Amino acid sequence: MQRVLEIILAFKEYLVLVLLCSISLLLFAKSDTPALRNVRAFSVEIFGAFESTFSGLSRYVSLVDENNTLLVQNIALADQVNFLRWAKTENSTLRTLLHFKAESDYSLKAAQVIDKSITLDRNLMMLNLGSADSIKIDMVAVTDVGLVGRVILTSRNFCIVQPIINKDFKASAMIERTRGFGILAWNGESFKEADLLNIPLNTPIQKGDHIITSEYSSFAPAGLQLGTVSSVTEIAGQHFYKVKVALSVDFSALEVVFIQTRQKNIEQDDLRKRYKEFQ
Amino acid sequence: MLNTSLIYAGILLVLALIQKFLFNKLAVYGLVPDVVLIFVIFLSRREGQLFGTAAGFLCGLVTDLVLGTLGVGSFSKTAAGFTAGYFEKKESRNEELQFLICVAVTSLVHNFCYTLIANGGSVPFIKLILLYTLLGSVYNLLLAYLAYHLVLRRV
């Protein structure tokens, strides 16, 4: 016993290293379990409150700047035309958003983006809507120009959206003109472009084709705009095209999004689950 | 010891927030300078390898909760704390050089572990080594140089 204790003490650093690394790997493997999701949701709630405050402060600071700018512009009447042009553009944007909300087949809730990243491999966005606003996991975030991403985590007042520009994001997609199916995925290179995978060489596809979500998507309704084909390359010895898609949504300028509050088809989900068990 | 640990915990929370709100906005090709890693290295050299390993795990866990996927940061920062423990702080004329060498080596280990677990086999090995591991370490080295001259030299 004494000898065992001596060995443990002699190698305690290594034992602690192995133990803590094992716990970390276990956390990584089980990060999708309800208990750990709850822990993440709790931390999102706390840090969401911080982020909300910071974004409020930055908005306040930008308002002060804007007022100063307007004062200068009022003095220098020559710049008034520029200001009116800017107001007209914003008015037009807001009108488009209102029109989109009125015309949509699904119930939409407007949410403000309070934090986002666009330069990382696994970009995420935090919105100021949460489970208290009936936001649930796998609901879809959209704008008037197309799909933004899917909700992957909710806390009471905030939710996290996994945008298209996240390496873990995949969506079943379709070429609108030819009805050819593929998978939209992001390779981490540019926040303006994604890849359309698994398009066989016999599928008609050309630059400018519109890409939309397909009926096979497990979370998004069919027909949402994803982008347009920007290049099609045939690679020698391969059976699929290399297709680049210019994304519809400008993620760098995203400030307001809508969450589609449609319910998941529980019967379909149940059938998929039973099929997996059957396999 | 309890008081010191509480102070370290407070510093960790502040650094995690600074990382999220400031340093994460300085990403270049997906690489960000890691101020929490510098803190783990500082702790490991100051308090010893065992403390550094445990502190690395806790720091990683906090950053995982704030920033991303559970387990990735805790694994890589545990390995980082353990590695930095081999460069325990000693009184010497070359203290700055020792610290920077420690940061370089520990960053290499940390970035390699982080990218390997976070991306699995999806990143080509050359890209993993050159971009994420080596360039990421250079970025951390710059931050460590600044941190040493602004704060750590006086501690």
Side-chain angles (χ1 to χ4, degrees):
Chain A
M1 190 62 190
Q2 182 67 27
R3 178 85 184 121
V4 173
L5 275 174
E6 278 173 12
I7 291 172
I8 288 174
L9 282 174
F11 292 99
K12 60 181 184 299
E13 286 88 358
Y14 295 94
L15 291 174
V16 168
L17 174 73
V18 171
L19 178 73
L20 295 179
C21 285
S22 306
I23 293 172
S24 301
L25 290 177
L26 197 69
L27 286 173
F28 182 64
K30 301 281 179 190
S31 61
D32 219 23
T33 56
L36 289 177
R37 267 178 182 251
N38 285 340
V39 174
R40 281 276 289 134
F42 180 67
S43 72
V44 165
E45 184 68 27
I46 291 172
F47 285 104
F50 271 104
E51 294 193 34
S52 197
T53 313
F54 277 99
S55 76
L57 276 174
S58 64
R59 272 200 298 278
Y60 177 76
V61 171
S62 65
L63 273 179
V64 173
D65 288 345
E66 197 170 320
N67 276 339
N68 288 336
T69 311
L70 286 174
L71 279 172
V72 173
Q73 281 181 336
N74 279 335
I75 295 164
L77 286 170
D79 287 343
Q80 200 176 33
V81 175
N82 287 337
F83 172 71
L84 287 172
R85 277 190 191 143
W86 171 81
K88 189 181 172 190
T89 310
E90 183 158 354
N91 192 345
S92 163
T93 309
L94 291 172
R95 275 175 184 274
T96 313
L97 288 172
L98 284 172
H99 177 70
F100 171 65
K101 190 175 181 185
E103 293 289 308
S104 177
D105 294 337
Y106 301 103
S107 165
L108 297 176
K109 286 196 172 176
Q112 188 159 15
V113 180
I114 59 171
D115 186 49
K116 70 176 176 191
S117 58
I118 57 169
T119 52
L120 307 175
D121 280 345
R122 285 174 173 75
N123 295 303
L124 294 172
M125 284 181 200
M126 189 180 283
L127 310 182
N128 66 344
L129 291 183
S131 53
D133 308 290
S134 309
I135 304 301
K136 294 189 175 69
I137 286 170
D138 272 349
M139 282 184 172
V140 177
V142 292
T143 68
D144 55 316
V145 293
L147 180 70
V148 173
R150 69 199 285 190
V151 175
I152 57 165
L153 197 65
T154 61
S155 66
R156 187 165 163 71
N157 297 305
F158 303 97
C159 68
I160 286 186
V161 169
Q162 182 185 62
I164 296 175
I165 52 168
N166 180 309
K167 275 190 170 177
D168 295 332
F169 184 91
K170 302 270 184 300
S172 178
M174 188 169 72
I175 306 160
E176 196 175 37
R177 183 174 59 88
T178 61
R179 315 284 294 173
F181 290 97
I183 293 170
L184 189 87
W186 188 61
N187 64 11
E189 284 175 5
S190 161
F191 64 85
K192 291 178 179 172
E193 237 177 17
D195 293 329
L196 187 61
L197 309 174
N198 298 352
I199 300 294
L201 293 179
N202 59 357
T203 303
I205 184 168
Q206 64 192 39
K207 192 176 171 184
D209 274 345
H210 287 277
I211 306 299
I212 57 175
T213 51
S214 81
E215 292 89 348
Y216 302 144
S217 175
S218 59
F219 63 95
L224 281 176
Q225 280 292 332
L226 293 167
T228 50
V229 174
S230 57
S231 72
V232 182
T233 317
E234 199 175 318
I235 297 169
Q238 293 205 4
H239 301 296
F240 298 103
Y241 283 120
K242 186 180 179 188
V243 182
K244 292 276 180 196
V245 176
L247 296 171
S248 307
V249 175
D250 179 1
F251 287 92
S252 63
L254 214 53
E255 289 178 0
V256 176
V257 300
F258 292 102
I259 301 284
Q260 280 189 351
T261 53
R262 75 185 185 122
Q263 293 297 317
K264 284 177 75 179
N265 191 322
I266 295 166
E267 190 179 340
Q268 281 183 10
D269 282 355
D270 186 47
L271 194 62
R272 281 196 194 99
K273 204 181 282 177
R274 280 167 51 203
Y275 177 67
K276 271 188 182 172
E277 285 167 8
F278 176 73
Q279 278 184 319
Chain B
M1 188 62 193
L2 183 65
N3 280 347
T4 317
S5 298
L6 285 175
I7 291 169
Y8 288 153
I11 294 171
L12 168 63
L13 283 178
V14 173
L15 290 180
L17 288 173
I18 292 174
Q19 179 70 40
K20 180 157 179 71
F21 294 119
L22 179 64
F23 287 107
N24 273 13
K25 315 281 181 199
L26 304 175
V28 177
Y29 294 110
L31 301 170
V32 289
D34 194 338
V35 70
V36 179
L37 175 67
I38 306 296
F39 183 57
V40 171
I41 292 168
F42 166 76
L43 287 180
S44 195
R45 293 187 73 229
R46 189 183 172 104
E47 304 289 347
Q49 193 174 39
L50 191 64
F51 187 93
T53 309
F57 175 76
L58 290 174
C59 290
L61 207 57
V62 170
T63 49
D64 284 344
L65 283 171
V66 180
L67 301 169
T69 318
L70 276 178
V72 184
S74 53
F75 183 92
S76 46
K77 286 194 172 54
T78 303
F82 181 80
T83 309
Y86 284 111
F87 297 84
E88 208 164 337
K89 192 174 179 180
K90 290 175 189 139
E91 289 301 325
S92 134
R93 279 187 190 174
N94 296 325
E95 165 60 21
E96 182 186 353
L97 185 65
Q98 282 177 13
F99 175 69
L100 292 178
I101 289 172
C102 175
V103 171
V105 174
T106 309
S107 284
L108 288 174
V109 173
H110 173 269
N111 292 355
F112 184 80
C113 292
Y114 189 95
T115 313
L116 200 64
I117 295 179
N119 295 299
S122 67
V123 177
F125 194 71
I126 295 292
K127 191 177 176 185
L128 189 153
I129 296 292
L130 288 180
L131 180 64
Y132 292 104
T133 306
L134 286 179
L135 280 182
S137 302
V138 171
Y139 216 171
N140 282 336
L141 213 50
L142 286 173
L143 178 66
Y145 181 80
L146 288 175
Y148 182 82
H149 282 279
L150 293 175
V151 184
L152 300 178
R153 192 170 53 172
R154 293 163 202 162
V155 182

